[in-house]
Amino acid sequence: MSTAVVTPGTPRPTVARRRRGPSLASIRTYLGLAVIVVWGLAPVYWMVATAFRHSDYTFDTTPWPTHVTLDNFANVFSTGAGNHFARALVNSTIIGAVTTAIGLIVGVGTAYALARLQFRGKHAVLGIILAASMFPGVAVLTPLFQLFTSMGWFGTYQALIIPNISFVLPLTIYTLTAFFKELPWELEEAARIDGASRRQAFRMVLLPLAAPGLFTTAILAFIASWNEYLISSQLSNDITQPATVAIAQFAGSKPHEEPFTSVMAAGTVVTIPLVIIVLLLQRRIVSGLTAGGVK
Amino acid sequence: MTVHELSEPTTESVPQPDSPAVPPRPRKGRSKAAMLLVLPTMILLGIVVLYPVVSAMVMSLFKDPTIDPATGKFVDQGFAGLSNYTHWLFQRCTDTTGSSVSCPGGTLGSLFWQSMWVTVFFTVVTVTIEVALGLWFATIMNRAFRGRALLRTSILVAWAIPTAVTAKLWYFVFAYDGIANKLLGTDILWTGDTWPARFAVVIADAWKTTPFVALLILAGLQMVPAEVYEAARMDGAGAWQRFRSITLPLIKPAILVAVLFRVLDVLRIYDLPAILTGGGGGDGTATTTLSILVIDQMRQGFNSASALSTITFLFIFAVAYVLVKVMGVNVIDTQEQQRKA
């Protein structure tokens, strides 16, 4: 919708590349890019490198591990010293999957309504959802802690999943609404003119088109749930503890000694699936993030 | 709304397949469908957000139960009025004789204003750093170059890894024998001394969330049409001038949205200071934020913890209100525009 009038038919003025060789500007750009890449990856690299160091060489400063060992990973998955890391990974997966499923199933209808329908109180609904996403975890934790304890739910999966819904549901609705607004809704109209009900039109025509958006939203919701710490640290027990809490409490086998190399190995294990997801889906995640915004 | 309109839904509730050719007009039928779609969300949010928040407010009006030394059981102490709130806000404690005194040092009650100050300090400093760096990252990323995928990955990894892992990772970097001290040639007690501990939290948070801020600002930058720059360049505007008078005003909405999200996030910060420094550093409370204080208080009494969490929530809500109303941060519209671009 620019004000410039472009006569159709006239060829677009091609903006020629100004310089061919490496100019000062492009050198500065690449220097900046290097800074960003180092910023993002250097600390993570240090974690991974340390994960492979023998614990006697924890504080080595060689850029790569010299006494390479897999002991740290073995330590992470050993069940000595009260660590249940493998179990914690399973717990995180269960909690994340169920929370994501609830967020998507409940959120998809609401997002459809917000993206597609005009109704009274639409702004109020948007406001409520946005406000819900701003709540500090501690505001919901105290009463839920008391309630779950009195119900005998302390340490159960549902006690960990229900509070997660409070921030995952607003996130899914918000992201899905943004995705749904982009869909070619004329197709829905066409299907309805052909006699499909609103439900049929949505399920058979739009849902397949919306699949990428749903998938991205699911990933964002899962990551958000996977990363939750505050509520889990208070409401989980040794059996239901998710990976974030397990890492924070990782004790190692030697008392009175911070098992840095093992903790870095645990961090690496938790980070690898996320790095794979990011590698495969970076473009989608970026569009989902900037659409949904809410962390 | 007339009586006639009110009676309409009964006649229109049967969906008419060929009516929606005229989009938003037939409000009534659609309104009903919308309500059905929105209802599950509202019910669920009512259960997971509204119920806890309201019951926290109710709980905050009661005194914490105490153990009766004779029976060893908890005894309810009854209605507290606003005394749980004055406990925090005016740091009033009850001494053994039952009279109200200024909370002695070392008790949680004496920590409220310091925690508030620490929380606000984290918010102002980290958000400033994140927006400044994020802006710089975004302008670099907005230029054309090869290897976008690598860049996006490297920027997203920091954002995607759990804060608990981030905290442990920086705990290692900032260890006494750790790489930070080795690189800087210093022997700072990063997680142990008051100010280093605070800056350790700031640095770790900035590392983790600058990418997110950069992405939000980048989405705003990509809306700026290239022709505007061409025109400005033709008119002889320098790089700084173009940035000041074209880029900045145009990406202001995106920056404000980033600021809003980040401010609300840091105001409730818990994971990083809790794991990285244990909420301590120096005197043991140097990085105790409001959220950490609530959790510490929870172990001593739910009702006064509820009062503190209510104060925290009202404070965050007030900040959000000011940002949205006064600064005019329009979250929904800005993000829609960003997507359309």
Side-chain angles (χ1 to χ4, degrees):
Chain A
M1 281 205 267
S2 69
T3 47
V5 183
V6 180
T7 329
T10 43
R12 273 179 140 250
T14 40
V15 184
R17 277 222 165 149
R18 264 149 221 276
R19 304 177 188 87
R20 296 245 153 218
S23 66
L24 191 69
S26 75
I27 289 171
R28 268 176 46 200
T29 301
Y30 278 99
L31 272 177
L33 293 173
V35 170
I36 297 176
V37 172
V38 169
W39 170 283
L41 296 184
V44 179
Y45 170 76
W46 200 244
M47 173 172 80
V48 177
T50 308
F52 288 99
R53 282 182 212 274
H54 190 280
S55 60
D56 292 347
Y57 300 87
T58 304
F59 295 110
D60 265 18
T61 49
T62 54
W64 45 84
T66 48
H67 296 76
V68 178
T69 172
L70 293 175
D71 286 358
N72 301 315
F73 293 93
N75 264 341
V76 167
F77 289 104
S78 84
T79 48
N83 295 318
H84 302 281
F85 198 71
R87 183 163 193 123
L89 287 174
V90 175
N91 289 337
S92 282
T93 312
I94 294 171
I95 295 163
V98 177
T99 311
T100 304
I102 295 173
L104 275 189
I105 291 166
V106 177
V108 80
T110 305
Y112 173 88
L114 289 173
R116 185 68 186 126
L117 304 176
Q118 293 300 321
F119 59 92
R120 211 176 291 275
K122 187 174 179 173
H123 273 274
V125 170
L126 271 171
I128 289 169
I129 293 165
L130 202 62
S133 70
M134 291 172 187
F135 268 86
V138 290
V140 296
L141 178 65
T142 322
L144 288 181
F145 190 107
Q146 214 196 24
L147 179 73
F148 291 158
T149 312
S150 67
M151 287 167 74
W153 274 19
F154 179 85
T156 60
Y157 286 109
Q158 62 268 32
L160 297 171
I161 289 165
I162 289 169
N164 279 10
I165 294 170
S166 70
F167 61 88
V168 167
L169 184 59
L171 174 101
T172 56
I173 293 172
Y174 211 42
T175 318
L176 281 176
T177 307
F179 275 122
F180 281 178
K181 285 198 169 150
E182 308 285 288
L183 294 180
W185 292 99
E186 306 79 36
L187 289 180
E188 187 202 30
E189 302 293 336
R192 296 205 56 193
I193 289 166
D194 289 347
S197 71
R198 188 178 284 281
R199 192 183 293 262
Q200 279 175 321
F202 180 73
R203 220 185 56 223
M204 294 158 78
V205 179
L206 282 166
L207 216 50
L209 289 168
L214 284 169
F215 183 65
T216 307
T217 309
I219 294 289
L220 291 176
F222 187 82
I223 291 178
S225 177
W226 179 274
N227 292 358
E228 203 286 321
Y229 173 78
L230 166 66
I231 292 164
S232 314
S233 69
Q234 303 303 314
L235 287 176
S236 66
N237 59 19
D238 281 353
I239 308 298
T240 53
Q241 198 173 63
T244 48
V245 182
I247 282 205
Q249 295 177 358
F250 196 84
S253 46
K254 295 175 197 163
H256 311 302
E257 201 177 299
E258 184 74 25
F260 278 121
T261 50
S262 295
V263 173
M264 293 303 112
T268 305
V269 170
V270 173
T271 307
I272 285 169
L274 295 167
V275 173
I276 292 171
I277 291 173
V278 163
L279 272 173
L280 295 176
L281 303 169
Q282 16 110 359
R283 195 185 296 263
R284 286 246 190 88
I285 292 177
V286 169
S287 66
L289 265 186
T290 45
V294 191
K295 221 186 75 172
Chain B
M1 194 186 286
T2 65
V3 183
H4 174 68
E5 271 175 350
L6 274 171
S7 62
E8 256 179 6
T10 44
T11 54
E12 274 207 4
S13 56
V14 185
Q16 288 163 356
D18 41 8
S19 65
V22 216
R25 261 297 78 191
R27 285 216 164 183
K28 288 293 160 185
R30 293 189 161 220
S31 197
K32 205 172 172 187
M35 282 309 149
L36 282 175
L37 290 167
V38 169
L39 202 63
T41 294
M42 291 296 124
I43 292 171
L44 208 51
L45 286 181
I47 295 169
V48 298
V49 180
L50 190 65
Y51 162 77
V53 167
V54 171
S55 61
M57 287 178 180
V58 174
M59 282 163 74
S60 70
L61 300 176
F62 290 88
K63 287 180 190 152
D64 282 322
T66 49
I67 293 177
D68 182 355
T71 59
K73 286 182 179 165
F74 279 107
V75 184
D76 281 339
Q77 296 296 305
F79 190 67
L82 294 175
S83 69
N84 282 330
Y85 289 90
T86 55
H87 167 67
W88 295 112
L89 294 172
F90 306 114
Q91 310 197 333
R92 303 304 296 176
C93 287
T94 313
D95 68 4
T96 43
T97 62
S99 54
S100 174
V101 293
S102 190
C103 286
T107 59
L108 293 178
S110 67
L111 284 178
F112 174 76
W113 286 106
Q114 196 205 316
S115 303
M116 176 68 99
W117 183 86
V118 167
T119 309
V120 171
F121 169 81
F122 281 157
T123 308
V124 172
V125 176
T126 55
V127 175
T128 306
I129 293 173
E130 285 163 12
V131 169
L133 272 172
L135 194 56
W136 183 57
F137 281 14
T139 50
I140 292 169
M141 287 160 69
N142 197 33
R143 293 179 201 147
F145 57 87
R146 262 175 260 149
R148 261 172 207 278
L150 170 70
L151 189 80
R152 263 200 294 250
T153 305
S154 56
I155 215 167
L156 279 173
V157 166
W159 163 83
I161 69 174
T163 314
V165 176
T166 307
K168 279 293 179 187
L169 160 58
W170 286 91
Y171 185 59
F172 175 61
V173 169
F174 284 134
Y176 184 73
D177 294 319
I179 189 73
N181 273 342
K182 296 254 174 74
L183 283 180
L184 298 169
T186 53
D187 48 6
I188 298 170
L189 288 168
W190 281 102
T191 57
D193 277 346
T194 302
W195 282 97
R198 286 175 182 155
F199 277 100
V201 172
V202 167
I203 292 165
D205 193 63
W207 174 72
K208 185 175 165 54
T209 16
T210 299
F212 171 73
V213 174
L215 288 174
L216 282 184
I217 296 175
L218 178 64
L221 270 181
Q222 287 174 341
M223 288 168 56
V224 184
E227 301 91 68
V228 181
Y229 285 109
E230 284 301 320
R233 202 171 316 195
M234 301 263 193
D235 293 344
W240 174 244
Q241 251 183 319
R242 289 198 299 268
F243 181 77
R244 275 279 326 257
S245 30
I246 301 173
T247 314
L248 221 46
L250 284 171
I251 61 167
K252 195 177 140 204
I255 293 178
L256 288 179
V257 167
V259 167
L260 175 72
F261 285 152
R262 287 306 302 145
V263 163
L264 299 184
D265 243 17
V266 191
L267 285 176
R268 56 188 171 183
I269 191 169
Y270 176 79
D271 312 23
L272 264 183
I275 304 171
L276 185 55
T277 67
D283 56 5
T285 57
T287 61
T288 299
T289 60
L290 288 171
S291 288
I292 293 179
L293 193 61
V294 174
I295 300 294
D296 288 347
Q297 177 60 43
M298 248 174 65
R299 303 200 173 100
Q300 302 188 10
F302 283 118
N303 294 339
S304 44
S306 295
L308 184 58
S309 75
T310 303
I311 293 171
T312 307
F313 145 65
L314 289 175
F315 174 60
I316 292 177
F317 209 76
V319 172
Y321 186 84
V322 168
L323 282 170
V324 170
K325 287 284 168 189
V326 180
M327 284 170 65
V329 185
N330 193 331
V331 182
I332 293 150
D333 285 355
T334 309
Q335 298 214 318
E336 262 167 37
Q337 283 162 15
Q338 290 196 351
R339 275 193 67 77
K340 277 179 191 143

